Amino acid sequence: MIQEDFIFYKPCRELQPYVRYYWVFKSNQPLNTLTFPIGCPQIIFHKQTPLYIPELGISQSEFTVSGQVNYHSHLYANGNVEMIVVVFQPYTLKAFLNLPISLLHNQEVSGYDLENKHLKQLAAQILNCENTNLCITIIEQWLLSQIADALTSKTAYNIQRITAAIKQLFAMPATPVTELASVACLGKKQFERMFNELVGANPKEYARIVRFQKSLKLLQHCSEDANQAQLAYQCGYADQSHFIREFKQFSGYTPLSLLNVCKPYSDLFNNPT
């Protein structure tokens, strides 16, 4: 019998500034799906078959930490998939891992390699727990216990600075780095260093991901005869050719050809919960 479930969970109120949502996927069918840069780091628990990523030539660990990526990829599995994923705000994973997120850039890292005993204990609990709702509760309890320490450190203050810059970037993806630094009340070099440490990509690269995700959001409601020049302008691209070139780099398709392959969806500009 074919079984496939996709469920989203909303984080508790205390964690909403740090965690966007959790999602759970279960399937007994072969999986072959295209994925794009979403602009948010993730922690992934595979309770059955981990996913294979041919572009990297690797399978994810049963316990994976995924940093910011700037490429599209395929995800494969032969069946028997059961995964629980924590999707963080773009700038908050450092508060829980206590390491520069720039180290995870374009990486699918095994959580067992991070030398974080508390994180490994969490993985052991989740991978041995058969109740999905209880798994989410365990994850939330762990996150709350970790954030208590982070809130007393300078990390919390730095997060506030970068949060302000990210909000500006979401509103106007073409905002210059010097202006973003001013919003964060930092010098340009200091801002770039802090941004990279918290977000896991430099400001210019992350702005490209934001523009791409914003274009996906607009394409969700467009037809094949959409005005690409207008889409380019709305998303902060210099011109239509710039839009098409960068879109193809991140997705493997031109904006309109993607409409024939799948239904565009923006992970960054939608809240599935």
Side-chain angles (χ1 to χ4, degrees):
M1 182 175 68
I2 297 176
Q3 293 181 333
E4 187 169 292
D5 295 306
F6 210 143
I7 305 173
F8 291 94
Y9 293 82
K10 185 177 181 178
C12 67
R13 181 177 56 82
E14 293 84 358
L15 286 172
Q16 287 174 19
Y18 305 92
V19 178
R20 294 193 63 222
Y21 54 87
Y22 314 98
W23 59 269
V24 176
F25 178 67
K26 299 179 182 180
S27 176
N28 61 4
Q29 298 300 299
L31 175 71
N32 177 4
T33 187
L34 181 64
T35 183
F36 310 131
I38 70 170
C40 298
Q42 303 169 82
I43 293 180
I44 305 164
F45 303 93
H46 287 289
K47 299 172 76 67
Q48 294 195 51
T49 307
L51 302 179
Y52 176 68
I53 307 173
E55 286 81 2
L56 300 180
I58 63 169
S59 291
Q60 291 180 329
S61 165
E62 66 177 7
F63 169 37
T64 295
V65 180
S66 180
Q68 296 284 359
V69 300
N70 59 12
Y71 57 87
H72 62 279
S73 62
H74 289 80
L75 301 176
Y76 285 97
N78 291 327
N80 298 318
V81 174
E82 182 177 353
M83 55 194 296
I84 299 175
V85 182
V86 185
V87 181
F88 291 86
Q89 298 287 1
Y91 38 80
T92 57
L93 185 56
K94 184 179 186 296
F96 301 98
L97 298 188
N98 195 29
L99 56 79
I101 305 306
S102 55
L103 297 176
L104 304 176
H105 184 255
N106 280 346
Q107 299 290 318
E108 299 280 339
V109 178
S110 171
Y112 299 119
D113 294 337
L114 295 181
E115 300 300 325
N116 185 322
K117 67 177 183 179
H118 300 295
L119 194 60
K120 293 177 183 178
Q121 289 170 354
L122 171 64
Q125 286 183 280
I126 298 305
L127 296 174
N128 290 319
C129 178
E130 297 183 359
N131 184 296
T132 300
N133 290 332
L134 180 57
C135 286
I136 299 298
T137 298
I138 292 171
I139 291 171
E140 291 231 303
Q141 289 174 344
W142 184 85
L143 292 171
L144 286 168
S145 70
Q146 299 302 301
I147 203 64
D149 293 333
L151 287 174
T152 63
S153 70
K154 68 177 183 179
T155 299
Y157 184 54
N158 291 342
I159 285 175
Q160 291 177 3
R161 291 176 180 268
I162 300 303
T163 298
I166 290 284
K167 288 182 177 179
Q168 172 66 21
L169 201 55
F170 283 5
M172 299 183 63
T175 303
V177 175
T178 51
E179 187 175 334
L180 294 175
S182 178
V183 169
C185 299
L186 294 167
K188 182 174 180 289
K189 288 186 177 180
Q190 186 182 11
F191 169 73
E192 290 176 325
R193 183 171 61 252
M194 185 181 297
F195 192 100
N196 201 15
E197 182 176 304
L198 290 180
V199 178
N202 66 56
K204 286 186 177 180
E205 180 182 19
Y206 192 72
R208 293 175 65 223
I209 295 173
V210 172
R211 286 196 296 267
F212 168 70
Q213 281 288 326
K214 193 164 188 176
S215 68
L216 286 177
K217 173 67 172 177
L218 294 177
L219 283 170
Q220 287 177 224
H221 311 289
C222 286
S223 61
E224 293 184 10
D225 60 351
N227 186 319
Q228 294 190 80
Q230 186 176 11
L231 288 174
Y233 174 77
Q234 290 178 282
C235 296
Y237 291 98
D239 50 44
Q240 182 175 331
S241 62
H242 180 211
F243 169 41
I244 295 173
R245 183 173 63 253
E246 288 212 344
F247 192 96
K248 190 171 184 179
Q249 180 179 344
F250 283 128
S251 71
Y253 295 89
T254 64
L256 298 187
S257 65
L258 183 66
L259 294 172
N260 298 319
V261 176
C262 64
K263 184 177 180 180
Y265 177 82
S266 171
D267 291 272
L268 192 59
F269 286 94
N270 284 298
N271 186 350
T273 60

